[in-house]
Amino acid sequence: MHAGHSPTYLTKIAPSRRSLLLFTISSVCLRLGNNIVDAKEAKTPPKPDNLISPEAALKRLMEGNDRYVQGVSRSDDFKRERPILVDGQNPYAAVLSCADSRVAPELVFGSGLGDLFVCRLAGNFANDDTLASMEYAVAALNTPLILVLGHDHCGAIEATIKSIHDDKPPPGHISSLVAALAPAAKASRQQTGDTFAETTRQNVINNVNKLKSTGPILNAAVEQNRLKVVGGLYRLDTGRVDLLS
């Protein structure tokens, strides 16, 4: 023992056998845990056909809409599909759409169980909750496409335009919808044409841009070409979805 160093001092600076053992066990458990996660991620997804590029996902989405417009219904075997999807999902597209009962994305795009990851709220805008949901779709489910889907004759858009025109807030929590949609309504007032249609269109564009630019997950996926974010307008009378450039 070196002069001037007490046994107590050495005990404090030297790791005990128990500490080393616990550290070793923790390291092994961490490696095992990572291996388990890697194995889980590596297993075949429930719907292998949904592993497609952003461009292919958009093409499939619009082909489904064509079938819907033509009145061609899908033949789904839900009894077979449900068990396949119990342990996981890998949707080929995510849709941010209005809560309007006349706009049902799974029907509009002729899709089956496990195909679309859908967020619906009046006015189809990206708040913190929908942003988090879309981040989950992209980061955890590897969804390659997000479509922001507006529609004509939207009640939330109408309420926003009326509130701004009358300079009077709507009742209850509807005011939160108006606040979110107000930028699009105010921008449309600077343009010529149908204020209702322009507001609906501008709202979709605003939210496409918001999703594209929100970090750290969505904007990185867009920059790496792993994610495409587009906008569309659903026509209630025909069922057609018109993509916005």
Side-chain angles (χ1 to χ4, degrees), residues 48-82:
D49 289 347
N50 285 356
L51 298 176
I52 53 180
S53 68
E55 292 74 19
L58 181 59
K59 183 174 183 289
R60 181 184 295 183
L61 209 60
M62 299 312 295
E63 287 174 347
N65 181 240
D66 285 339
R67 293 193 300 270
Y68 171 75
V69 170
Q70 295 165 14
V72 178
S73 61
R74 284 173 54 102
S75 179
D76 290 293
D77 185 354
F78 295 124
K79 189 174 181 180
R80 183 191 66 83
E81 280 197 324
R82 283 193 295 263

Short mmCIF file of all heavy atoms in Angstrom, two decimals, residues 48-82:
data_model
loop_
_atom_site.label_atom_id
_atom_site.label_comp_id
_atom_site.label_asym_id
_atom_site.label_seq_id
_atom_site.Cartn_x
_atom_site.Cartn_y
_atom_site.Cartn_z
N PRO A 48 -46.54 -7.38 -47.44
CA PRO A 48 -45.32 -7.12 -48.22
C PRO A 48 -45.57 -6.25 -49.46
O PRO A 48 -44.68 -5.50 -49.87
CB PRO A 48 -44.86 -8.53 -48.62
CG PRO A 48 -45.44 -9.43 -47.59
CD PRO A 48 -46.77 -8.82 -47.24
N ASP A 49 -46.76 -6.33 -50.04
CA ASP A 49 -47.07 -5.54 -51.23
C ASP A 49 -47.09 -4.05 -50.94
O ASP A 49 -47.07 -3.22 -51.87
CB ASP A 49 -48.42 -5.95 -51.82
CG ASP A 49 -48.37 -7.34 -52.47
OD1 ASP A 49 -47.24 -7.84 -52.67
OD2 ASP A 49 -49.43 -7.90 -52.75
N ASN A 50 -47.14 -3.68 -49.65
CA ASN A 50 -47.17 -2.26 -49.29
C ASN A 50 -45.78 -1.65 -49.16
O ASN A 50 -45.65 -0.47 -48.87
CB ASN A 50 -47.93 -2.06 -47.97
CG ASN A 50 -49.44 -2.19 -48.15
OD1 ASN A 50 -49.92 -2.35 -49.26
ND2 ASN A 50 -50.17 -2.14 -47.05
N LEU A 51 -44.75 -2.46 -49.37
CA LEU A 51 -43.37 -1.95 -49.32
C LEU A 51 -43.02 -1.37 -50.69
O LEU A 51 -42.41 -2.03 -51.53
CB LEU A 51 -42.40 -3.08 -48.94
CG LEU A 51 -42.62 -3.72 -47.56
CD1 LEU A 51 -41.65 -4.88 -47.37
CD2 LEU A 51 -42.44 -2.68 -46.46
N ILE A 52 -43.44 -0.12 -50.91
CA ILE A 52 -43.26 0.50 -52.22
C ILE A 52 -42.69 1.91 -52.06
O ILE A 52 -42.64 2.46 -50.95
CB ILE A 52 -44.59 0.56 -53.01
CG1 ILE A 52 -45.68 1.22 -52.16
CG2 ILE A 52 -45.02 -0.85 -53.41
CD1 ILE A 52 -47.03 1.31 -52.86
N SER A 53 -42.29 2.50 -53.16
CA SER A 53 -41.71 3.84 -53.16
C SER A 53 -42.81 4.88 -52.99
O SER A 53 -44.00 4.59 -53.20
CB SER A 53 -40.97 4.09 -54.48
OG SER A 53 -41.92 4.17 -55.54
N PRO A 54 -42.44 6.11 -52.63
CA PRO A 54 -43.45 7.17 -52.53
C PRO A 54 -44.23 7.38 -53.83
O PRO A 54 -45.45 7.59 -53.80
CB PRO A 54 -42.60 8.41 -52.19
CG PRO A 54 -41.42 7.87 -51.47
CD PRO A 54 -41.11 6.57 -52.16
N GLU A 55 -43.54 7.31 -54.95
CA GLU A 55 -44.21 7.51 -56.25
C GLU A 55 -45.20 6.38 -56.53
O GLU A 55 -46.32 6.61 -57.02
CB GLU A 55 -43.18 7.59 -57.37
CG GLU A 55 -42.30 8.83 -57.33
CD GLU A 55 -41.24 8.78 -56.23
OE1 GLU A 55 -40.94 7.66 -55.73
OE2 GLU A 55 -40.74 9.86 -55.86
N ALA A 56 -44.79 5.14 -56.23
CA ALA A 56 -45.67 4.00 -56.45
C ALA A 56 -46.87 4.05 -55.50
O ALA A 56 -47.98 3.65 -55.87
CB ALA A 56 -44.90 2.69 -56.24
N ALA A 57 -46.66 4.56 -54.29
CA ALA A 57 -47.75 4.68 -53.32
C ALA A 57 -48.79 5.67 -53.82
O ALA A 57 -50.00 5.43 -53.72
CB ALA A 57 -47.20 5.12 -51.97
N LEU A 58 -48.33 6.79 -54.37
CA LEU A 58 -49.27 7.78 -54.90
C LEU A 58 -50.03 7.22 -56.09
O LEU A 58 -51.25 7.45 -56.23
CB LEU A 58 -48.50 9.04 -55.31
CG LEU A 58 -49.36 10.19 -55.85
CD1 LEU A 58 -50.39 10.63 -54.84
CD2 LEU A 58 -48.46 11.38 -56.24
N LYS A 59 -49.36 6.48 -56.94
CA LYS A 59 -50.01 5.86 -58.10
C LYS A 59 -51.09 4.88 -57.64
O LYS A 59 -52.20 4.88 -58.17
CB LYS A 59 -48.96 5.14 -58.95
CG LYS A 59 -49.49 4.51 -60.23
CD LYS A 59 -48.35 3.96 -61.07
CE LYS A 59 -48.84 3.39 -62.39
NZ LYS A 59 -49.60 2.14 -62.21
N ARG A 60 -50.78 4.08 -56.64
CA ARG A 60 -51.75 3.11 -56.14
C ARG A 60 -52.95 3.82 -55.52
O ARG A 60 -54.10 3.41 -55.69
CB ARG A 60 -51.11 2.18 -55.12
CG ARG A 60 -52.09 1.15 -54.57
CD ARG A 60 -51.50 0.28 -53.47
NE ARG A 60 -50.42 -0.55 -53.95
CZ ARG A 60 -49.77 -1.43 -53.19
NH1 ARG A 60 -50.10 -1.56 -51.90
NH2 ARG A 60 -48.80 -2.17 -53.69
N LEU A 61 -52.67 4.90 -54.80
CA LEU A 61 -53.74 5.66 -54.15
C LEU A 61 -54.72 6.19 -55.20
O LEU A 61 -55.95 6.06 -55.05
CB LEU A 61 -53.13 6.83 -53.37
CG LEU A 61 -53.85 7.35 -52.13
CD1 LEU A 61 -54.01 6.26 -51.08
CD2 LEU A 61 -53.09 8.53 -51.55
N MET A 62 -54.18 6.76 -56.28
CA MET A 62 -55.04 7.35 -57.31
C MET A 62 -55.75 6.29 -58.15
O MET A 62 -56.86 6.52 -58.63
CB MET A 62 -54.21 8.28 -58.19
CG MET A 62 -53.59 9.46 -57.42
SD MET A 62 -54.76 10.32 -56.34
CE MET A 62 -55.89 10.99 -57.55
N GLU A 63 -55.12 5.13 -58.32
CA GLU A 63 -55.81 4.03 -59.01
C GLU A 63 -57.00 3.56 -58.18
O GLU A 63 -58.06 3.22 -58.73
CB GLU A 63 -54.83 2.88 -59.24
CG GLU A 63 -53.81 3.16 -60.34
CD GLU A 63 -52.76 2.07 -60.46
OE1 GLU A 63 -52.67 1.22 -59.54
OE2 GLU A 63 -52.02 2.08 -61.47
N GLY A 64 -56.82 3.55 -56.86
CA GLY A 64 -57.94 3.19 -55.99
C GLY A 64 -59.07 4.20 -56.08
O GLY A 64 -60.25 3.84 -56.06
N ASN A 65 -58.71 5.48 -56.20
CA ASN A 65 -59.74 6.51 -56.35
C ASN A 65 -60.48 6.37 -57.67
O ASN A 65 -61.70 6.58 -57.74
CB ASN A 65 -59.10 7.90 -56.24
CG ASN A 65 -60.12 9.02 -56.37
OD1 ASN A 65 -60.04 9.86 -57.27
ND2 ASN A 65 -61.10 9.06 -55.48
N ASP A 66 -59.77 5.98 -58.72
CA ASP A 66 -60.42 5.75 -60.02
C ASP A 66 -61.48 4.66 -59.90
O ASP A 66 -62.59 4.79 -60.43
CB ASP A 66 -59.38 5.36 -61.08
CG ASP A 66 -58.56 6.54 -61.55
OD1 ASP A 66 -59.02 7.69 -61.40
OD2 ASP A 66 -57.45 6.32 -62.07
N ARG A 67 -61.15 3.59 -59.19
CA ARG A 67 -62.13 2.51 -59.01
C ARG A 67 -63.34 3.00 -58.23
O ARG A 67 -64.48 2.66 -58.55
CB ARG A 67 -61.48 1.32 -58.28
CG ARG A 67 -60.40 0.60 -59.07
CD ARG A 67 -60.03 -0.73 -58.41
NE ARG A 67 -59.53 -0.55 -57.05
CZ ARG A 67 -58.26 -0.36 -56.74
NH1 ARG A 67 -57.36 -0.27 -57.72
NH2 ARG A 67 -57.88 -0.21 -55.48
N TYR A 68 -63.09 3.81 -57.22
CA TYR A 68 -64.18 4.35 -56.40
C TYR A 68 -65.11 5.23 -57.23
O TYR A 68 -66.34 5.15 -57.12
CB TYR A 68 -63.57 5.14 -55.24
CG TYR A 68 -64.56 5.94 -54.43
CD1 TYR A 68 -65.42 5.32 -53.53
CD2 TYR A 68 -64.59 7.33 -54.55
CE1 TYR A 68 -66.32 6.08 -52.78
CE2 TYR A 68 -65.48 8.09 -53.81
CZ TYR A 68 -66.35 7.46 -52.92
OH TYR A 68 -67.23 8.20 -52.19
N VAL A 69 -64.50 6.09 -58.06
CA VAL A 69 -65.30 6.99 -58.91
C VAL A 69 -66.17 6.18 -59.86
O VAL A 69 -67.34 6.52 -60.12
CB VAL A 69 -64.37 7.93 -59.70
CG1 VAL A 69 -65.15 8.70 -60.77
CG2 VAL A 69 -63.68 8.91 -58.76
N GLN A 70 -65.62 5.09 -60.38
CA GLN A 70 -66.35 4.24 -61.32
C GLN A 70 -67.35 3.32 -60.64
O GLN A 70 -68.13 2.63 -61.30
CB GLN A 70 -65.35 3.41 -62.13
CG GLN A 70 -64.43 4.24 -63.02
CD GLN A 70 -63.23 3.46 -63.53
OE1 GLN A 70 -63.20 2.24 -63.42
NE2 GLN A 70 -62.24 4.16 -64.05
N GLY A 71 -67.32 3.31 -59.31
CA GLY A 71 -68.28 2.48 -58.58
C GLY A 71 -67.88 1.04 -58.48
O GLY A 71 -68.71 0.17 -58.21
N VAL A 72 -66.58 0.75 -58.71
CA VAL A 72 -66.09 -0.62 -58.62
C VAL A 72 -65.70 -0.91 -57.17
O VAL A 72 -64.80 -0.27 -56.62
CB VAL A 72 -64.87 -0.84 -59.54
CG1 VAL A 72 -64.35 -2.27 -59.41
CG2 VAL A 72 -65.24 -0.52 -60.98
N SER A 73 -66.36 -1.86 -56.54
CA SER A 73 -66.09 -2.15 -55.14
C SER A 73 -65.01 -3.23 -55.01
O SER A 73 -64.84 -4.07 -55.91
CB SER A 73 -67.36 -2.61 -54.43
OG SER A 73 -67.88 -3.78 -55.03
N ARG A 74 -64.28 -3.20 -53.89
CA ARG A 74 -63.27 -4.20 -53.60
C ARG A 74 -63.92 -5.48 -53.10
O ARG A 74 -65.03 -5.47 -52.57
CB ARG A 74 -62.32 -3.69 -52.50
CG ARG A 74 -61.33 -2.67 -52.96
CD ARG A 74 -60.57 -2.14 -51.76
NE ARG A 74 -59.98 -3.21 -50.97
CZ ARG A 74 -58.70 -3.56 -51.01
NH1 ARG A 74 -57.88 -2.91 -51.80
NH2 ARG A 74 -58.22 -4.52 -50.25
N SER A 75 -63.22 -6.56 -53.26
CA SER A 75 -63.65 -7.84 -52.70
C SER A 75 -62.67 -8.20 -51.60
O SER A 75 -61.60 -8.77 -51.86
CB SER A 75 -63.68 -8.93 -53.78
OG SER A 75 -64.07 -10.17 -53.22
N ASP A 76 -62.98 -7.82 -50.36
CA ASP A 76 -62.06 -8.01 -49.24
C ASP A 76 -62.42 -9.25 -48.43
O ASP A 76 -63.60 -9.52 -48.16
CB ASP A 76 -62.08 -6.79 -48.32
CG ASP A 76 -61.44 -5.58 -48.95
OD1 ASP A 76 -60.23 -5.61 -49.17
OD2 ASP A 76 -62.18 -4.60 -49.24
N ASP A 77 -61.40 -9.97 -48.05
CA ASP A 77 -61.57 -11.13 -47.18
C ASP A 77 -61.14 -10.71 -45.77
O ASP A 77 -60.02 -10.97 -45.35
CB ASP A 77 -60.73 -12.31 -47.69
CG ASP A 77 -60.97 -13.57 -46.89
OD1 ASP A 77 -61.71 -13.52 -45.88
OD2 ASP A 77 -60.42 -14.62 -47.27
N PHE A 78 -62.03 -10.02 -45.06
CA PHE A 78 -61.68 -9.50 -43.75
C PHE A 78 -61.36 -10.61 -42.75
O PHE A 78 -60.52 -10.42 -41.86
CB PHE A 78 -62.82 -8.64 -43.20
CG PHE A 78 -63.07 -7.39 -43.99
CD1 PHE A 78 -64.32 -7.13 -44.52
CD2 PHE A 78 -62.06 -6.47 -44.22
CE1 PHE A 78 -64.56 -5.97 -45.25
CE2 PHE A 78 -62.28 -5.32 -44.95
CZ PHE A 78 -63.54 -5.07 -45.46
N LYS A 79 -61.99 -11.73 -42.91
CA LYS A 79 -61.75 -12.85 -41.99
C LYS A 79 -60.30 -13.33 -42.09
O LYS A 79 -59.69 -13.74 -41.11
CB LYS A 79 -62.70 -14.00 -42.29
CG LYS A 79 -62.67 -15.11 -41.26
CD LYS A 79 -63.74 -16.15 -41.54
CE LYS A 79 -63.73 -17.24 -40.47
NZ LYS A 79 -64.78 -18.27 -40.73
N ARG A 80 -59.72 -13.25 -43.28
CA ARG A 80 -58.33 -13.64 -43.48
C ARG A 80 -57.38 -12.53 -43.09
O ARG A 80 -56.31 -12.77 -42.51
CB ARG A 80 -58.09 -14.03 -44.95
CG ARG A 80 -56.67 -14.52 -45.24
CD ARG A 80 -56.42 -14.62 -46.73
NE ARG A 80 -56.45 -13.32 -47.37
CZ ARG A 80 -55.41 -12.48 -47.41
NH1 ARG A 80 -54.27 -12.80 -46.81
NH2 ARG A 80 -55.52 -11.32 -48.02
N GLU A 81 -57.76 -11.27 -43.38
CA GLU A 81 -56.86 -10.14 -43.16
C GLU A 81 -56.69 -9.78 -41.68
O GLU A 81 -55.61 -9.39 -41.26
CB GLU A 81 -57.35 -8.91 -43.92
CG GLU A 81 -57.00 -8.91 -45.39
CD GLU A 81 -57.13 -7.53 -46.00
OE1 GLU A 81 -58.06 -6.79 -45.60
OE2 GLU A 81 -56.32 -7.18 -46.89
N ARG A 82 -57.75 -9.91 -40.91
CA ARG A 82 -57.66 -9.48 -39.51
C ARG A 82 -56.54 -10.19 -38.74
O ARG A 82 -55.73 -9.52 -38.08
CB ARG A 82 -59.01 -9.67 -38.81
CG ARG A 82 -60.03 -8.59 -39.15
CD ARG A 82 -61.21 -8.64 -38.20
NE ARG A 82 -61.97 -9.88 -38.32
CZ ARG A 82 -63.08 -10.02 -39.06
NH1 ARG A 82 -63.55 -8.99 -39.74
NH2 ARG A 82 -63.71 -11.17 -39.11
#
